[in-house]
Amino acid sequence: MTNGIASFHAAFDGVRNIIFDLGGVLYNVEYSLVEQEFSALQQSSKQAITYTRQTQPEVFSQYEIGAITTEEFCAGLRKDLGLEGSNEEIAQAWNAMLLGVYPGRNALIWRLKQRYGLALLSNTNALHIEHVKPECQELFSLFDRLFYSFEMGLRKPDITIFRNVLETMNYLPEETLFIDDSHQHIEAARQCGLRTLWLQHPDSLELVVDMLAPNAEKAAS
């Protein structure tokens, strides 16, 4: 274990900035709940709905880059997936995946803020951000800048989105660590020269922060 910790410190020596993903890293998201909620709104003649980040229909990707409005998104779901219901009912079903900020995340990010420049980069959309804003107000305030795909017209793993964040923040890639739970996003970030950490389980973030900010005073959870 000692050798592992030493290797971690050596691998991330010189990091001055950290870019965080949101869903699956700081915020608990359960994609299967969308399938359940959409199935309840679906016409019985349509085939079963399968939704994941890797297999999402094009209407989701278009909404995540802001290419269509919320009204057009709901209309597209009715057309492509055979959903029935008002825009409000579809929005409620779409937001069902959003379960809340992981416990203790505000304190962890506060500790890192004492040492590092911080940015948030999320593939997200207008409905989701409006839904989580009240709960995430304190969390979001700890970041120097928030980058949302639907506002940027780009989404991960497009390499351009990483370059835009680096340029906007005046971050050098070799001094910047990107933390995400998606391997394809990690691979894209590496192509831009970013230091990366693939967070395969949300519970491991506390250990990561202990290593990155060992001397920062711990805020109350």
Side-chain angles (χ1 to χ4, degrees), residues 31-132:
Y31 297 97
S32 64
L33 295 177
V34 173
E35 294 182 10
Q36 296 174 26
E37 295 296 322
F38 278 178
S39 294
L41 295 176
Q42 192 179 36
Q43 300 170 15
S44 59
S45 60
K46 289 287 186 176
Q47 64 182 18
I49 294 172
T50 300
Y51 175 80
T52 68
R53 287 178 298 181
Q54 290 75 30
T55 61
Q56 64 182 17
E58 183 62 21
V59 66
F60 295 104
S61 299
Q62 289 297 299
Y63 191 42
E64 277 193 341
I65 62 171
I68 58 176
T69 65
T70 295
E71 290 72 21
E72 290 170 331
F73 174 64
C74 292
L77 293 177
R78 293 188 188 95
K79 177 183 177 183
D80 296 346
L81 302 183
L83 301 190
E84 297 177 328
S86 65
N87 286 357
E88 291 75 18
E89 289 171 325
I90 291 174
Q92 184 176 0
W94 176 233
N95 289 337
M97 70 169 75
L98 306 172
L99 301 183
V101 177
Y102 287 118
R105 285 312 196 245
N106 292 357
L108 293 180
I109 299 304
W110 183 91
R111 289 172 58 191
L112 292 174
K113 185 176 178 64
Q114 311 312 305
R115 287 186 167 220
Y116 302 95
L118 298 178
L120 183 78
L121 174 60
S122 176
N123 281 356
T124 189
N125 55 83
L127 277 174
H128 281 176
I129 287 301
E130 286 306 310
H131 182 83
V132 305

Side-chain angles (χ1 to χ4, degrees), residues 111 115 210 212-218:
R111 289 172 58 191
R115 287 186 167 220
D210 284 342
L212 285 168
N215 298 321
E217 181 184 355
K218 294 187 179 181

